[in-house]
Amino acid sequence: MIVEPGWYMALAAALFLIGAMGMLLRRNALVMFMCIELMLNAVNLTLIAAGRALNDLNGQVAVFFILVVAAAEVVVGLAIIVSIFRLRATASVDELSELKG
Amino acid sequence: MTEERTWGARDTLDLWVAGTEEPEFQPTDEGAQEIGAVESEARLREQLGTAIGDDYMFDDEVADEERSIVNMGPQHPSTHGVLRLQLELEGEVIRRTRPIIGYLHTGMEKTAEQLTFSQGPTNVTRMDYLAPLHCELAYSLAVERLLGIEVPPRAQAIRLLTTELNRVSSHLVALATNGMDVGALSMMIYGFRERESILAFFEKTTGLRMNHNYIRPGGVAADLPPGWKDDVAAILEEMPRRLAQYDDLLKDNPIWLARTRGVGIITAEEAVAYGLTGPNLRASGVDWDLRKAFPYSGIDQYEFEVPLGEQGDVYDRYRVKVEEIVESLKIVEQVMDAMPKGDWRVDDQKITPPPRRRIDESMEALIHHFKLFTEGFKVPPGETYAAVESPRGELGCYLVSDGEARPYRMHTRAPSFYNLQGLPIAMADSMVADTIATIASMDPVMGDVDR
Amino acid sequence: MVELALFALMGLGALAGAVTVVMARNPVYSAMGLLATLLSVAVLYVVQLAHLVAAVQVIVYAGAVLTLFLFVIMLIGVDQVVDTDERLRYQRPLVGGVAGLIILFAAALTMLGDFDWVPPATVMNPDATNGTVEAVAVPLFTDWVLAFEATALLLTVAAAGAIALAAYRRRRV
Amino acid sequence: MTGIDESLATDFEDVVWESSHGQQVARVPREQWRQFAEAAKEAGYEMCVDVTAVDWMRQRPERFEIVASLVSMSRQSRLRMITTAPRHAPEVASLTPLWPGVSFGEREVYDMFGIRFEGHPDLTRILMPDDWEGHPLRKDFGAGTVPVQFKMSHQVR
Amino acid sequence: MTWTELGIVALRVILTFGLLLVVTIINVWAERKIVADMQSRIGPSRAGPFGVLQTVADGLKLFFKESITPRKAELGLYTLAPFLAVIPAFLIFMMVPWGAPVTVGDEVVPLQGADLNIGLLFILAMSSMAVYAVVLAGWSSGSKYPLLGGVRATAQAISYEAAMGLAMVSVVVFTATQGDGGTLSLSEIVARQGGNWGDVAPIFSIVPRWNLVPQLVAFVIFLVAIVAETNRAPFDLVEAEQELVGGYHTEYSGMRFAMFFLAEYINIFSMSAIAATLFLGGWNGPTFDGALPGLVSAALPTVWFLLKTYVIVFIFFWLRATLPRLRYDQLMTLGWKGLIPAALAWIALSAVIFGFRQFGPPWS
Amino acid sequence: MGVVSDFLKALKVTARIMVGTMTGSELVTTPYPDEKRVKPQRFHGRHVLNRYPDGMEKCIGCELCAGVCPADCIYVRGKENDPHNPISPGERYGYVYEINMLRCIFCGLCVEACPTEAITMTHLFEFSTTNRADAVYTREELLMDREGRVPHMFPDDPLVDLSELDTADGWVRATAPSGIAAYEGVKMWQGTPGPADWSPEPTQEEIDRRSEDG
């Protein structure tokens, strides 16, 4: 039995939903970051599945770009978290709501 | 004890305590030392010291949030024994170091007050276990100075021969452990391999590989064994080849240079101010060697150089040790060639036991023999300080006699003890990994530190 | 058959990992959950013949990005920090409610409506050429070369920025 | 008496100079301990290699003797300076401001004899545990003995 | 997929697995013996002839020893970490062709665990997975020194994997000029290294057609990178005994420790095998078909492969016995300022040169 | 290229030593229990109580050894000899003689102190026991038998090489200052335990000759 593309879409949707919930529920900046990665992965999965279903390699190319951009984002984001932590010794975004250095 | 016991089935006899009695109760000095549960702050301060600190974390409230405290030792594999360091880290950088010692303290200065002057070398030889002969020599020189005797030239030459060889063996251990602590595993084995040839010679001469009890007040315990010249010549022939190997292995090795150059720097001023002696001082460029400044055992008769470092980093300390091995071997060669003939103990019945055969012939000799081995020889009252250049620096012995057969007070100026004060300076603002290289290059012997 | 089994297994793994990311109190366990999800998704890529993307997913995401996460977690020592205090009191029930509604909506859409998620392709490329390195590389370096260069530039700038951020030390007052 | 010591001798009249087996010994009154050390450092004794003490119990009027060994590298000479401390609350001035390297030595003397050094930055026990009671190298501190085990010793007398 | 095919696949995997286990047992012994020889010692000599069975004895001992779990350990990850170390180590070697394909009946059996068309990428992926074992072991032990080791491992792995990957890329670029299109399959890379360089100049016909010759720089970079990647001296900061007491495996004992140990030696062998495959022509070598019995000829490629691999394994041991350890910042400097720029420059250079040779100058 | 040659220089050292070890020229260790190293004559091993050639015990129970021991590890009690069946030539003999080997520091002072050379040190050095009681050597373990062999605490120990005792020597020569003309050529010490002859103390010329010959 072949797996329908819809199944992949459903899985991706579930992953995205979990990621979004985590984004909203957690206060730890690092975990929130990971939730973003979860959501990006969900998107990637839809792209791959759609590309497979539509027989279009551009889906994979798009995933490739997303991967690179995600890597860049993580690099910068983690650097920011580290430098914030140096100042405030906390990774909870609630504590960082003021835009004071 | 008359019945024969068979080997296979031996009864387990009761173990009994004998030979020693319960120590007499000694009232302390006007109760000055007792401390009760309820004491005033001032009394507690007197008893415990000015800074009553937690033994584990001396400074929990670090001023700077980014600093963390890492406890290194006393069971760390490369703190050279039971040295404990409290490192105050800022990331990977050490900001403050506090050496904490005393884990190997065995009260040898107290023990020395219980042992006669002739038993003394068995005690002091256990202090610096890498250079036992130097410890014995310092003690013997102090006793001889109080006695006002001069040992025969052959004894002096033997003392120099063995102590200089001991310096070589001790430096070899320092090189070996320094190499290993930076990660050069083979250097460890190589250093110990060459040390082995020297220890074999010591074993042949003194019967023991370390803790020899060989150099004694009044001379040395025994003449050099037959064939000693061959052994020493073999060592002298082998060592230069091995030193060349060390140089090939480490001297220009880029990783070794990167790990040691500019690491753990102690400047000349700091070294002098903190009382560093020996190779640690000379690596900073200070030309100070007790063998040149206050010659002992006739070392001024022999030619040798005092190698100096430039900036006092780990590399310089390593180089100074290598050069000192070469110089020591030079001395050994000269001593070997010029070994005088004659007695190796002072010919004084009050200090040296009589010849064995005479015990059977002369009642007087028998009485001397008994007296020397039971109560030992008496040393005139007085105080003196004798220092030798041990592989780690100035090894001094401050000896006070009140006219009895035991020292009234024996204090050892341990070079490692004072050298250890240079560690925080050398390690300030360096990386964690440099700690190891620095400790190894300072070459502390914990037996010497804690005594 | 194999594909279904793999999908079920890896899908469950991905979901379990995702739930761990959100639920775990310790960020290291969150990272491990993310690792599980990433690897499961990578396998799903392989199932769909996207070999290159799967490999890159593991190398870049699991190998570098997540390692970086772990590095930061250990470096700044937040692994013991637990976020328990809640300032927006209604947020959690609200999120739960909205999520439930979304799930209901999606389920209803799937069950009741005759909704075709993705129209199947009429002609399939042979498996052998689909998703190999060459197959992905050709569009990447022809049609998308501008975007490729742009991302390269982005990555360089990001790296430089990160170094600048990390190297910047505020002068202590 | 070498040249550098002569200037010391004239400046400090209370100091008793001795020659102990050919070594220079200066017996310094306790009040002048710091000043004498400073003058000695000025006079060329760059290094203080050792600080120790002797407990004379009741054999001498002042129970403790504190001994510091100075070395002059430039002149290649040694000087031993000795001062005394009383039975009760023995205390002398610390030499650490002059030679930071005597810190360990003074801590050891404090640890072993209970002599306090005024002005020492960190006068804590160094060799003995922090909660150790008493000062082991004092003569009234009994030397402990470890019983030695034997098998037959109880069967004969 | 027929049962025969399935059987062949199973046989390939089991054979590769078995080879790896045997070789690892010998490797541990060989390291101890070689390092002992370099240090004027005898080394293991009591278990079996020349102490060959020393590894087995040690393994048995460790197997029966208690596995101590520290009180402060995070139990789940603490238990998981040793497995995470072993699994990628085994999987990496599955990619390596360790002998010429054997024809059994009418089936051609390649002596290789699996021949993926993205073989090299798979190797990179698995070696990047290997770091998790170290990091998690260090973190979950709940003790300071292992944690330091774990933190060091992350940075080290990221840096040197980049260098390793870049060195691989230049090989791939070069390989693309040697046949029809580029390839990431290791069996294909090996196949393209058969023969000799006689076509460049007749005098080179004695030089085997290994990638080593045109890719010497990449080989050196790759060698340094794999030594760092396997956390071996002089890059063994992760487990630096003198500084970190043992690094990430300080708190491990018994079988769990044995698994880390096993993984380290498997990694050494796999990485050496990959180096031999990429640069030294893999199993290529004279088989003397006809001159020797058929069975011997069939076994010879495996022998060549093992020989080449052991040359590189020996370099691992040799370095360990000789060199001091780098400091952490020096390691990073070497990685980021030395190896990675050099690898990038070399890729650019070789790409230009091979582009010229392949397509001619752009103005033509 | 200087860097490379520096590395190669270091690598060459280890490689050369490896070849040397394989060929045997650089090998310095021995497989210990199978192959024991030759110990020097003055080696300080475990103690032994000697007998005269006629089988009499040398120990006279004077307790000098116990008195001189810095570690207090010797326990001796003397007893009057039975005149009809004497155990030692003197008036008294060592009735109890025990050495606690856990305490002993092998300094050799007991050997030097003994006026009759009753206690000497051998080349035996394998002392390990599984309990503390076994480390207390009594007269049975210390006193050699009439054939000149030393009883070992664990004769069934496969690692014990009793033939080592043949070369056992005393530390005692140490206390005899040679070079005093009156004692040249006088037999000072028998060299091996057991009923053997004493070899004469070397003359100063002989010592000098030996030391010059090397």
Side-chain angles (χ1 to χ4, degrees):
Chain A
M1 168 186 173
I2 194 87
V3 183
E4 292 285 325
W7 290 90
Y8 287 107
M9 296 293 168
L11 176 63
L15 283 178
F16 191 91
L17 194 63
I18 295 172
M21 283 171 68
M23 192 69 196
L24 291 169
L25 291 175
R26 293 300 296 262
R27 289 289 168 271
N28 189 321
L30 278 164
V31 179
M32 291 169 76
F33 231 121
M34 291 183 208
C35 292
I36 294 178
E37 301 303 320
L38 264 186
M39 296 194 287
L40 285 175
N41 256 281
V43 173
N44 285 351
L45 191 56
T46 56
L47 284 175
I48 295 279
R52 169 84 174 132
L54 298 173
N55 197 19
D56 189 351
L57 279 174
N58 286 332
Q60 295 186 19
V61 175
V63 170
F64 199 82
F65 285 130
I66 291 177
L67 281 176
V68 177
V69 174
E73 163 226 346
V74 164
V75 166
V76 177
L78 287 180
I80 292 173
I81 289 177
V82 168
S83 48
I84 287 178
F85 190 84
R86 277 192 183 155
L87 287 175
R88 306 296 298 272
T90 178
S92 168
V93 286
D94 280 347
E95 307 288 327
L96 304 172
S97 50
E98 313 100 17
L99 282 174
K100 287 190 285 193
Chain B
M1 275 315 295
T2 46
E3 62 180 322
E4 286 291 320
R5 288 194 290 126
T6 52
W7 285 110
R10 279 184 304 119
D11 302 329
T12 309
L13 293 170
D14 287 343
L15 289 178
W16 197 252
V17 171
T20 54
E21 277 79 33
E22 189 70 18
E24 234 176 276
F25 175 67
Q26 307 250 15
T28 54
D29 184 35
E30 283 101 30
Q33 295 190 17
E34 276 102 30
I35 185 158
V38 192
E39 291 283 357
S40 70
E41 183 70 16
R43 269 291 284 127
L44 279 171
R45 274 165 53 84
E46 191 197 344
Q47 176 65 28
L48 295 175
T50 39
I52 302 174
D54 183 358
D55 189 41
Y56 297 99
M57 280 295 158
F58 72 98
D59 212 5
D60 227 350
E61 305 281 319
V62 191
D64 196 333
E65 271 179 5
E66 288 187 14
R67 293 198 178 179
S68 61
I69 289 174
V70 170
N71 203 12
M72 194 168 166
Q75 288 111 341
H76 193 278
S78 41
T79 49
H80 286 227
V82 285
L83 174 64
R84 176 172 151 219
L85 298 171
Q86 267 176 347
L87 308 175
E88 205 172 292
L89 298 180
E90 200 173 302
E92 279 255 346
V93 181
I94 296 167
R95 291 301 180 206
R96 246 175 36 174
T97 312
R98 187 179 135 128
I100 296 169
I101 57 176
Y103 293 93
L104 205 60
H105 178 60
T106 41
M108 285 190 182
E109 294 184 5
K110 189 83 176 171
T111 310
E113 294 171 12
Q114 324 297 323
L115 297 177
T116 63
F117 283 105
S118 46
Q119 288 172 335
T122 64
N123 180 39
V124 293
T125 190
R126 283 168 164 70
M127 288 180 176
D128 184 348
Y129 42 74
L130 289 184
L133 288 165
H134 287 89
C135 297
E136 296 170 14
L137 180 59
Y139 181 82
S140 302
L141 285 177
V143 176
E144 282 154 15
R145 191 169 287 163
L146 283 180
L147 284 167
I149 57 172
E150 188 75 22
V151 298
R154 187 174 172 87
Q156 288 196 344
I158 292 175
R159 283 175 174 191
L160 271 187
L161 182 85
T162 48
T163 49
E164 291 305 318
L165 280 175
N166 203 167
R167 185 186 317 279
V168 174
S169 75
S170 173
H171 278 347
L172 282 172
V173 175
L175 296 183
T177 50
N178 200 349
M180 187 189 66
D181 283 353
V182 179
L185 289 179
S186 296
M187 189 61 215
M188 173 78 183
I189 306 281
Y190 294 166
F192 273 84
R193 179 183 65 192
E194 270 71 87
R195 175 179 182 250
E196 199 63 25
S197 62
I198 294 172
L199 288 195
F201 172 70
F202 284 163
E203 190 179 23
K204 214 168 172 181
T205 309
T206 73
L208 290 167
R209 288 156 52 86
M210 52 202 295
N211 305 336
H212 307 285
N213 185 21
Y214 180 67
I215 297 175
R216 303 184 183 175
V220 293
D223 196 7
L224 293 169
W228 66 274
K229 230 170 196 174
D230 286 343
D231 297 341
V232 177
I235 293 170
L236 288 174
E237 192 194 327
E238 179 77 353
M239 283 305 293
R241 192 171 73 85
R242 298 301 193 181
L243 287 174
Q245 278 184 352
Y246 299 167
D247 280 354
D248 281 352
L249 197 62
L250 293 180
K251 190 179 169 191
D252 300 323
N253 190 326
I255 299 181
W256 175 258
L257 292 181
R259 284 301 304 276
T260 55
R261 277 255 171 92
V263 168
I265 294 177
I266 304 176
T267 63
E269 294 77 35
E270 286 165 349
V272 171
Y274 279 88
L276 267 60
T277 46
N280 293 330
L281 180 66
R282 290 193 283 275
S284 306
V286 181
D287 187 1
W288 182 247
D289 191 318
L290 295 184
R291 292 174 292 176
K292 289 281 189 197
F294 306 112
Y296 54 86
S297 287
I299 197 161
D300 41 346
Q301 302 162 18
Y302 306 101
E303 298 270 320
F304 66 99
E305 305 278 316
V306 178
L308 296 179
E310 280 153 23
Q311 53 170 346
D313 56 5
V314 174
Y315 183 78
D316 279 350
R317 290 195 276 273
Y318 148 76
R319 282 312 299 167
V320 164
K321 287 194 187 97
V322 173
E323 306 284 331
E324 278 192 13
I325 290 178
V326 177
E327 297 302 326
S328 286
L329 292 175
K330 263 193 222 166
I331 301 177
V332 168
E333 190 166 11
Q334 295 172 52
V335 175
M336 181 182 82
D337 292 341
M339 178 62 77
K341 290 165 185 164
D343 232 347
W344 63 89
R345 303 196 78 160
V346 65
D347 190 15
D348 183 341
Q349 303 177 359
K350 299 289 181 195
I351 298 161
T352 305
R356 186 149 289 279
R357 190 65 177 177
R358 248 181 100 186
I359 296 171
D360 295 349
E361 296 169 350
S362 150
M363 195 61 202
E364 192 195 5
L366 188 62
I367 291 167
H368 271 135
H369 184 91
F370 264 71
K371 272 186 81 88
L372 275 174
F373 280 110
T374 47
E375 61 184 42
F377 53 87
K378 292 204 162 85
V379 170
E383 51 103 44
T384 192
Y385 176 83
V388 300
E389 179 75 22
S390 100
R392 267 154 287 282
E394 174 171 340
L395 180 77
C397 182
Y398 181 70
L399 201 65
V400 180
S401 170
D402 59 349
E404 293 298 319
R406 292 158 210 268
Y408 187 75
R409 166 102 173 95
M410 197 282 291
H411 168 74
T412 307
R413 191 270 179 200
S416 303
F417 183 68
Y418 284 90
N419 285 351
L420 211 54
Q421 295 180 105
L423 203 55
I425 308 157
M427 278 160 55
D429 298 345
S430 64
M431 305 277 291
V432 178
D434 293 335
T435 329
I436 309 299
T438 312
I439 297 174
S441 73
M442 304 278 292
D443 191 22
V445 172
M446 292 320 285
D448 198 23
V449 172
D450 291 343
R451 305 185 300 287
Chain C
M1 192 64 213
V2 178
E3 189 180 349
L4 181 68
L6 275 175
F7 175 78
L9 203 65
M10 291 303 144
L12 278 177
L15 285 177
V19 171
T20 314
V21 174
V22 178
M23 303 296 285
R25 300 170 73 83
N26 194 320
V28 175
Y29 281 96
S30 289
M32 287 303 103
L34 188 57
L35 178 67
T37 307
L38 292 176
L39 292 181
S40 308
V41 172
V43 174
L44 290 179
Y45 292 169
V46 173
V47 171
Q48 300 180 70
L49 301 177
H51 291 151
L52 175 67
V53 176
V56 173
Q57 163 106 345
V58 177
I59 295 170
V60 174
Y61 247 125
V65 170
L66 204 56
T67 319
L68 213 56
F69 266 109
L70 278 175
F71 181 73
V72 170
I73 290 170
M74 290 175 188
L75 188 74
I76 66 181
V78 292
D79 50 341
Q80 304 307 326
V81 179
V82 180
D83 47 331
T84 46
D85 69 315
E86 186 57 64
R87 291 197 181 172
L88 304 168
R89 198 171 303 144
Y90 304 107
Q91 192 181 18
R92 287 189 176 174
L94 197 67
V95 168
V98 171
L101 281 180
I102 292 174
I103 291 168
L104 270 180
F105 177 72
L109 211 61
T110 318
M111 298 287 168
L112 305 177
D114 185 19
F115 187 78
D116 201 2
W117 288 82
V118 179
T122 45
V123 189
M124 296 292 280
N125 280 345
D127 285 356
T129 60
N130 195 352
T132 58
V133 182
E134 294 98 326
V136 182
V138 169
L140 193 62
F141 289 112
T142 52
D143 299 349
W144 301 93
V145 69
L146 204 63
F148 182 82
E149 297 299 335
T151 46
L153 192 65
L154 173 76
L155 205 55
T156 316
V157 171
I163 292 168
L165 267 174
Y168 172 72
R169 301 297 306 270
R170 176 178 296 258
R171 185 176 296 277
R172 205 159 279 284
V173 249
Chain D
M1 196 176 283
T2 53
I4 44 174
D5 301 334
E6 274 165 24
S7 65
L8 285 174
T10 50
D11 286 356
F12 294 90
E13 290 171 357
D14 298 339
V15 172
V16 182
W17 291 85
E18 289 176 3
S19 176
S20 168
H21 300 277
Q23 292 171 332
Q24 285 287 324
V25 178
R27 293 195 177 267
V28 187
R30 186 159 64 253
E31 303 76 42
Q32 294 184 352
W33 181 246
R34 257 296 280 288
Q35 289 89 323
F36 185 82
E38 262 171 50
K41 194 184 179 189
E42 288 297 309
Y45 288 101
E46 306 102 333
M47 205 164 171
C48 179
V49 291
D50 190 24
V51 173
T52 184
V54 183
D55 177 11
W56 283 105
M57 277 303 275
R58 290 183 172 76
Q59 298 181 30
R60 299 199 175 171
E62 293 256 89
R63 178 172 169 179
F64 296 105
E65 265 183 6
I66 293 102
V67 185
S69 304
L70 308 185
V71 164
S72 168
M73 293 187 189
S74 45
R75 306 292 292 267
Q76 300 212 338
S77 76
R78 281 185 188 281
L79 172 65
R80 192 153 64 245
M81 43 191 274
I82 300 178
T83 191
T84 53
R87 175 171 312 273
H88 295 286
E91 181 159 338
V92 292
S94 170
L95 301 183
T96 42
L98 300 173
W99 297 285
V102 300
S103 163
F104 269 24
E106 291 185 348
R107 281 176 69 188
E108 189 192 352
V109 170
Y110 166 73
D111 193 358
M112 293 296 162
F113 290 93
I115 299 168
R116 301 179 51 75
F117 287 89
E118 186 63 41
H120 190 287
D122 179 31
L123 194 64
T124 48
R125 287 191 176 273
I126 184 165
L127 292 178
M128 305 303 288
D130 278 358
D131 52 354
W132 188 266
E133 286 189 15
H135 301 285
L137 277 183
R138 287 187 175 187
K139 284 286 173 186
D140 52 5
F141 192 97
T145 45
V146 179
V148 186
Q149 289 177 324
F150 291 110
K151 286 176 179 169
M152 292 291 295
S153 51
H154 61 296
Q155 296 187 7
V156 287
R157 193 175 55 81
Chain E
M1 187 181 274
T2 64
W3 285 110
T4 342
E5 282 170 348
L6 195 69
I8 287 171
V9 168
L11 190 71
R12 279 162 63 180
V13 171
I14 289 169
L15 271 180
T16 315
F17 193 82
L19 176 78
L20 195 53
L21 272 185
V22 171
V23 152
T24 304
I25 285 171
I26 293 171
N27 264 356
V28 177
W29 167 79
E31 160 154 47
R32 295 180 61 174
K33 204 77 180 170
I34 287 170
V35 172
D37 280 347
M38 287 181 173
Q39 297 175 342
S40 306
R41 299 184 284 123
I42 297 175
S45 61
R46 299 194 78 81
F50 302 104
V52 176
L53 298 178
Q54 186 64 41
T55 319
V56 180
D58 286 349
L60 279 176
K61 182 199 79 173
L62 285 171
F63 185 78
F64 288 110
K65 285 202 107 166
E66 183 190 1
S67 278
I68 298 162
T69 309
R71 194 158 41 87
K72 287 175 80 178
E74 294 276 341
L75 194 60
L77 294 181
Y78 181 79
T79 324
L80 186 68
F83 295 94
L84 286 182
V86 173
I87 293 168
F90 275 119
L91 287 181
I92 287 175
F93 191 70
M94 289 294 154
M95 296 297 114
V96 180
W98 48 271
V102 180
T103 313
V104 183
D106 50 354
E107 296 280 347
V108 177
V109 182
L111 292 180
Q112 185 180 11
D115 187 11
L116 300 190
N117 60 357
I118 53 160
L120 275 182
L121 286 178
F122 186 83
I123 287 167
L124 272 178
M126 280 308 120
S127 74
S128 65
M129 285 295 100
V131 69
Y132 279 99
V134 178
V135 177
L136 292 180
W139 176 77
S140 63
S141 296
S143 148
K144 267 180 194 166
Y145 288 119
L147 182 65
L148 274 174
V151 173
R152 285 179 172 189
T154 50
Q156 181 174 342
I158 293 177
S159 324
Y160 281 84
E161 194 164 296
M164 186 172 105
L166 291 174
M168 280 182 180
V169 167
S170 54
V171 172
V172 172
V173 168
F174 175 73
T175 312
T177 68
Q178 298 300 305
D180 180 24
T183 180
L184 293 175
S185 155
L186 267 78
S187 59
E188 185 62 27
I189 291 174
V190 171
R192 290 186 190 183
Q193 295 182 63
N196 55 50
W197 289 104
D199 56 338
V200 177
I203 191 137
F204 289 142
S205 58
I206 47 160
V207 182
R209 200 181 184 84
W210 295 351
N211 287 342
L212 176 72
V213 181
Q215 293 286 335
L216 185 63
V217 176
F219 176 67
V220 172
I221 293 169
F222 189 78
L223 203 61
V224 176
I226 59 173
V227 174
E229 187 74 10
T230 47
N231 299 328
R232 294 280 301 179
F235 305 105
D236 55 345
L237 291 100
V238 171
E239 49 186 300
E241 285 144 43
Q242 286 80 24
E243 295 150 34
L244 302 182
V245 192
Y248 63 97
H249 58 57
T250 306
E251 305 288 350
Y252 280 88
S253 53
M255 205 52 214
R256 291 174 183 155
F257 171 74
M259 285 168 83
F260 279 119
F261 196 74
L262 189 70
E264 179 175 335
Y265 282 85
I266 292 175
N267 271 330
I268 292 170
F269 187 76
S270 325
M271 288 296 175
S272 307
I274 291 164
T277 306
L278 290 182
F279 294 97
L280 302 184
W283 44 259
N284 281 313
T287 51
F288 308 108
D289 271 330
L292 289 170
L295 209 60
V296 177
S297 285
L300 264 181
T302 306
V303 173
W304 295 130
F305 167 78
L306 286 177
L307 266 181
K308 291 167 183 175
T309 307
Y310 266 107
V311 168
I312 297 171
V313 169
F314 177 76
I315 293 177
F316 271 82
F317 301 157
W318 198 6
L319 290 178
R320 179 174 176 220
T322 310
L323 294 183
R325 182 180 303 115
L326 281 167
R327 202 168 59 206
Y328 184 59
D329 56 331
Q330 290 160 353
L331 179 89
M332 288 291 122
T333 311
L334 178 66
W336 288 101
K337 294 188 183 161
L339 286 187
I340 292 178
L344 280 172
W346 179 252
I347 290 176
L349 189 70
S350 46
V352 168
I353 290 174
F354 300 133
F356 261 92
R357 288 198 49 200
Q358 196 79 351
F359 308 114
W363 54 84
S364 67
Chain F
M1 285 299 99
V3 175
V4 174
S5 72
D6 287 340
F7 275 124
L8 286 181
K9 218 160 68 180
L11 289 170
K12 220 162 71 184
V13 173
T14 38
R16 190 173 292 164
I17 289 179
M18 183 181 82
V19 174
T21 312
M22 282 174 167
T23 54
S25 60
E26 293 270 8
L27 186 66
V28 292
T29 56
T30 50
Y32 154 59
D34 304 335
E35 197 180 304
K36 287 186 178 174
R37 114 197 129 90
V38 179
K39 285 172 276 295
Q41 207 184 21
R42 293 175 181 177
F43 184 83
H44 287 203
R46 65 162 272 202
H47 305 79
V48 65
L49 285 175
N50 293 325
R51 288 178 192 271
Y52 285 107
D54 59 1
M56 294 279 238
E57 289 178 20
K58 282 183 172 178
C59 181
I60 53 171
C62 70
E63 300 187 26
L64 256 190
C65 45
V68 81
C69 182
D72 286 340
C73 72
I74 306 181
Y75 179 77
V76 187
R77 282 291 174 267
K79 197 179 184 182
E80 296 286 325
N81 264 325
D82 179 4
H84 304 294
N85 191 14
I87 294 174
S88 76
E91 280 174 27
R92 288 156 65 85
Y93 73 101
Y95 170 60
V96 178
Y97 202 106
E98 293 186 5
I99 300 180
N100 189 337
M101 288 296 177
L102 296 172
R103 292 274 297 183
C104 182
I105 58 173
F106 299 94
C107 60
L109 278 178
C110 49
V111 179
E112 292 177 31
C114 183
T116 60
E117 290 107 39
I119 184 165
T120 53
M121 283 174 150
T122 65
H123 286 188
L124 279 180
F125 63 97
E126 284 141 332
F127 292 91
S128 33
T129 65
T130 51
N131 59 64
R132 299 182 76 86
D134 279 353
V136 179
Y137 281 44
T138 61
R139 205 159 159 273
E140 279 102 57
E141 286 98 25
L142 290 168
L143 191 65
M144 66 169 50
D145 63 17
R146 282 163 190 277
E147 283 76 48
R149 289 200 316 269
V150 178
H152 197 275
M153 281 204 115
F154 315 105
D156 51 347
D157 187 343
L159 295 183
V160 169
D161 181 8
L162 287 168
S163 65
E164 285 216 310
L165 286 171
D166 297 342
T167 57
D169 188 4
W171 171 238
V172 72
R173 194 190 297 271
T175 52
S178 305
I180 298 173
Y183 300 98
E184 281 170 4
V186 176
K187 286 182 179 181
M188 300 295 282
W189 175 245
Q190 66 186 40
T192 59
D197 274 345
W198 290 0
S199 59
E201 191 73 0
T203 64
Q204 184 63 47
E205 283 80 42
E206 198 183 337
I207 292 170
D208 291 343
R209 184 170 47 74
R210 278 201 300 213
S211 53
E212 271 152 29
D213 294 348

